[in-house]
Amino acid sequence: MAGLRPAAEAGYKVAMIRFRPLAAAPLALALIAAPAAAVDRAPDRTAATDYVLARAADANGDLNRAAAGYAAAYALTPDARLGSRVYRQAVSAGDFRAALAAARNLQAADALPSDGRLLLIAEAVQRRDWARARAALAAMPDGDVFGFLTPIIQAWISFGEGKDPMPLLVPGKGGAIALPYIAEHRALLLIAGGRMAEGISQLATMSATRGGREVRLRLAAAAALDPSKPDERTRALAVLQGDDALFVEARAIVSAGRRLPGAIRTPAAGMGELLTRVAADLNRDRVTPVALSLARIATFLDPDNAESWLVTTTLLAGVGLNDLALDALGRVAADDPFATAARDLRLRLLVREDRAEEALGLARAAATAKGAGAAEWTRVGDILNQLDKPADAADAYGKAIALSEANPDPAGSGLAVLWLLRGGALERAGDWAAARPALEKAVAMAPDSAAALNYLGYARLERGEDIAGAAQLIEKANRLAPDDPAITDSLGWAYYRLGRLPQAISTLEKAVAGEPGDADINDHLGDAYWAAGRRFEARYAWRAASVYASDDKKGRLLAKIENGPPARP
């Protein structure tokens, strides 16, 4: 039911990047593929034949053959549109030899896209060919969509040449859109140039608003320090203070005297960091071929930057290229602070690929390894939920709770979430006697958690337990999260159960407006309409619900459309 979703959907949290729902890629994005493989060519093959076969391979998901076919077609007929397709496919797949060749062909045809210009600059920067890098940057036309990056790239080139880059990074350069990027790279260039105290001080001025981005920047600052030297180890540990899981893992690495990966010491690493952030920012709106290209170019510039691989993985998964996404995750080193985030992403991808049993095996292995904690058992519980094994999931969450109680979180919020997850799993397993006290404990520990209040209130409502009290819990949840359609649905259903039909209908109509494709909310609205004597509207709502309902619910909805709802006991 809609009201019970908050706990059921609790799952992985990955630092700094948003993992978007996986979806079938539209045609323009489906052209992204693995590196082109050699294909046997019959003497009478034409460019048209290669193109048709490539499109057919695309449609069948055979991306390697599609890439080879497009490249072969372009070799016979150098059409700019086909060349753009070859370029986009190659760079997004990480085949930089093919991508650079395609980019140069497009440049000669005056058809190079903006991200292609960045690739040519990146190659020169990686080769430390500063003259060619400057020439490629100067060739960027006025009004280019990525023109705001010019002063930052110029600054890193100047750094590579041994010149002072700071005069290039002043407010106003690149326009208002460049300001946050310039602020970051002033700090990173100070640190790369050995002016550690100044760089860290600048990072501190950004800390109030940076969130996850600040975490990455502080990790990069600490990575520039040598923990084999006592004074630098002390400074690195000071930079890494905080409760974020990445800081905890990074402090363990530094305390052991090992140097953190992810330092930004070179122009290639600096430009890679810049493009990674731009790709992640573009991904906030939607996955685009350009965002994926920028992330891939970042991995080309600095293959040791784990964040770039995580962003690349997220973008590949966002267009359904899960095999390539899994391959990208393999580039994150096991001893990197981002390794846990990479493991989380891998498990999520495996579950979404219907390989949940494989994911469960990996999660159990991690949970039973030496030093494992509550987070590892929480992952096991999440995957067991995906496998529709709620009783086993509840046991896993119970193990996580025991470990969390042995190492308490000062804020207590993490433990409250675990009690909510355990209570939700027990409720779905049919053990309400054990679920209710677990959910009540979650509410007691986090009285302002809309998810916990809603889950407990709705579960009581469904069982007819103290409907007025259940409604009060849901009303509080709604005050805390007034725009959550699932909670609005719960509130409307509570009003329905209390017999307050006008309030129920207006509240449920609001919930449907917020989530028109939710079968449960439309079903509830139909019941409320029917109770109010609005039979035509009730049947319309149930028909809408049947469009989105799972197969096991369609029969019940069709019976309602025919005969009305059964009498409630």
Side-chain angles (χ1 to χ4, degrees):
M1 303 294 281
L4 297 185
R5 288 178 301 186
E9 292 183 355
Y12 306 98
K13 296 179 181 178
V14 179
M16 291 191 269
I17 54 178
R18 179 172 55 185
F19 190 88
R20 295 178 173 274
L22 303 183
L27 178 61
L29 297 182
L31 299 172
I32 300 165
V39 290
D40 294 329
R41 167 177 291 282
D44 57 348
R45 255 298 161 92
T46 66
T49 301
D50 284 324
Y51 182 77
V52 169
L53 291 173
R55 290 293 293 268
D58 249 339
N60 291 327
D62 189 347
L63 299 180
N64 285 331
R65 187 169 293 277
Y70 289 129
Y74 181 76
L76 286 177
T77 305
D79 173 77
R81 285 176 297 179
L82 184 55
S84 180
R85 183 166 289 182
V86 172
Y87 162 76
R88 183 74 57 210
Q89 199 170 37
V91 71
S92 299
D95 184 352
F96 292 106
R97 182 177 179 180
L100 285 163
R104 293 189 184 103
N105 288 333
L106 290 170
Q107 185 182 42
D110 198 24
L112 185 64
S114 294
D115 55 300
R117 297 187 188 99
L118 291 175
L119 175 62
L120 296 179
I121 296 167
E123 187 212 14
V125 167
Q126 193 201 53
R127 292 178 176 276
R128 304 176 65 83
D129 187 339
W130 310 126
R132 189 154 58 90
R134 284 193 177 279
L137 190 60
M140 188 176 287
D142 292 339
D144 188 277
V145 67
F146 294 119
F148 69 96
L149 302 178
T150 297
I152 303 169
I153 298 172
Q154 285 177 331
W156 279 107
I157 292 171
S158 290
F159 178 78
E161 292 173 324
K163 301 174 183 176
D164 182 6
M166 292 304 159
L168 295 164
L169 297 180
V170 295
K173 291 275 190 177
I177 192 174
L179 286 175
Y181 300 96
I182 285 175
E184 287 185 5
H185 285 266
R186 281 187 65 87
L188 292 173
L189 277 159
L190 286 168
I191 292 168
R195 297 159 66 180
M196 184 65 65
E198 290 178 76
I200 291 174
S201 176
Q202 290 214 6
L203 289 181
T205 65
M206 296 185 264
S207 63
T209 58
R210 284 293 169 204
R213 185 63 191 156
E214 183 215 351
V215 173
R216 165 59 187 148
L217 295 172
R218 286 168 60 186
L219 286 169
L225 294 160
D226 184 354
S228 67
K229 300 174 181 177
D231 58 333
E232 292 196 26
R233 180 169 63 249
T234 299
R235 181 178 284 185
L237 291 172
V239 169
L240 296 169
Q241 286 305 304
D243 296 329
D244 189 284
L246 284 164
F247 287 154
V248 173
E249 294 190 37
R251 287 199 299 269
I253 293 171
V254 171
S255 296
R258 302 197 310 274
R259 197 153 196 162
L260 281 175
I264 301 172
R265 300 187 187 89
T266 67
M271 186 176 173
E273 183 68 23
L274 176 64
L275 297 186
T276 297
R277 186 187 165 189
V278 175
D281 288 347
L282 289 173
N283 183 44
R284 290 197 180 98
D285 296 324
R286 61 189 177 92
V287 178
T288 67
V290 171
L292 184 51
S293 291
L294 296 186
R296 280 297 204 185
I297 295 169
T299 65
F300 168 64
L301 282 159
D302 186 10
D304 294 328
N305 185 337
E307 185 196 21
S308 299
W309 290 110
L310 291 174
V311 173
T312 298
T313 297
T314 302
L315 292 164
L316 288 167
V319 293
L321 297 173
N322 300 326
D323 288 341
L324 288 175
L326 289 167
D327 287 344
L329 283 177
R331 299 298 300 269
V332 179
D335 60 350
D336 194 287
F338 284 96
T340 300
R343 183 172 60 194
D344 285 349
L345 272 176
R346 181 174 296 280
L347 294 177
R348 293 185 66 189
L349 276 172
L350 289 172
V351 169
R352 290 168 183 264
E353 280 279 276
D354 293 326
R355 295 163 62 183
E357 290 290 353
E358 181 181 346
L360 180 60
L362 292 172
R364 284 194 184 280
T368 54
K370 183 178 179 181
E376 284 72 24
W377 279 109
T378 303
R379 292 187 200 99
V380 173
D382 292 340
I383 295 170
L384 287 165
N385 266 330
Q386 294 278 349
L387 288 168
D388 198 23
K389 297 179 179 180
D392 292 338
D395 288 342
Y397 293 134
K399 290 182 172 67
I401 288 169
L403 288 165
S404 187
E405 287 177 335
N407 299 280
D409 171 8
S413 58
L415 191 53
V417 169
L418 289 174
W419 278 110
L420 173 58
L421 289 169
R422 177 169 166 77
L426 289 166
E427 187 272 338
R428 290 189 299 282
D431 189 354
W432 177 238
R436 177 171 176 167
L439 294 170
E440 289 173 340
K441 190 155 188 173
V443 170
M445 297 183 74
D448 291 328
S449 167
L453 290 161
N454 180 61
Y455 203 108
L456 177 59
Y458 190 88
R460 284 182 179 177
L461 202 66
E462 285 292 272
R463 289 162 179 80
E465 289 185 8
D466 185 14
I467 292 175
Q472 289 177 350
L473 291 169
I474 297 169
E475 284 174 334
K476 183 176 180 181
N478 182 250
R479 288 194 298 272
L480 291 163
D483 297 323
D484 186 319
I487 295 176
T488 304
D489 168 64
S490 298
L491 183 61
W493 193 238
Y495 291 149
Y496 171 85
R497 295 297 304 275
L498 289 168
R500 294 156 59 177
L501 290 180
Q503 279 181 289
I505 289 171
S506 63
T507 305
L508 289 167
E509 286 174 340
K510 178 184 175 183
V512 167
E515 196 69 67
D518 189 287
D520 291 329
I521 299 176
N522 280 287
D523 185 14
H524 286 165
L525 180 58
D527 283 7
Y529 280 147
W530 185 274
R534 298 164 62 173
R535 305 298 169 86
F536 177 81
E537 291 164 287
R539 288 189 168 97
Y540 181 86
W542 289 327
R543 286 191 184 96
S546 69
V547 171
Y548 304 105
S550 57
D551 290 341
D552 61 325
K553 293 180 180 179
K554 284 185 184 293
R556 181 177 57 80
L557 286 164
L558 292 173
K560 279 188 177 185
I561 293 168
E562 187 71 26
N563 305 310
R568 180 174 285 274

